[in-house]
């Protein structure tokens, strides 16, 4: 039970961190001097990083959902139990 609660709290912290990082990325992109530089920052920095962050968040959500499912202990490494 402690592993499930800890993983859920970690997911909440990860979600807040990802949202803050996405906000910082969008702010960085909008502070570019010209429109072409904003587009370049969007294509070269914001979209790839946002894809990685959102993939990490999706994987964390799936892992916590599997952890809380009826077959949950099967997905937890035995060293964590």
């Amino acid at each position: 039970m402690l592993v499930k609660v800890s993983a859920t709290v970690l997911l909440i912290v990860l979600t807040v961190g990802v949202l803050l990082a996405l906000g910082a990325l969008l702010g960085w992109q909008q502070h570019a001097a010209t429109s072409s530089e904003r587009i370049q920052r969007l294509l070269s920095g914001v979209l790839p990083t946002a894809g990685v962050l959102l993939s990490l968040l999706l994987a964390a959500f799936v892992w916590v959902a599997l952890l809380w499912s009826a077959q949950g202990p099967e997905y937890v490494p035995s060293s964590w139990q």
Side-chain angles (χ1 to χ4, degrees), residues 6-60:
S6 298
T8 304
V9 169
L10 184 65
L11 176 68
I12 292 169
V13 170
L14 180 69
T15 302
V16 171
V18 166
L19 289 175
L20 289 174
L22 288 173
L25 273 171
L26 290 175
W28 170 75
Q29 186 241 347
Q30 288 298 318
H31 285 302
T34 63
S35 175
S36 62
E37 190 177 350
R38 280 192 293 274
I39 292 171
Q40 181 183 5
R41 283 185 179 187
L42 175 69
L43 296 175
S44 66
V46 174
L47 290 178
T49 307
V52 168
L53 288 172
L54 292 175
S55 297
L56 177 68
L57 192 60
L58 178 63

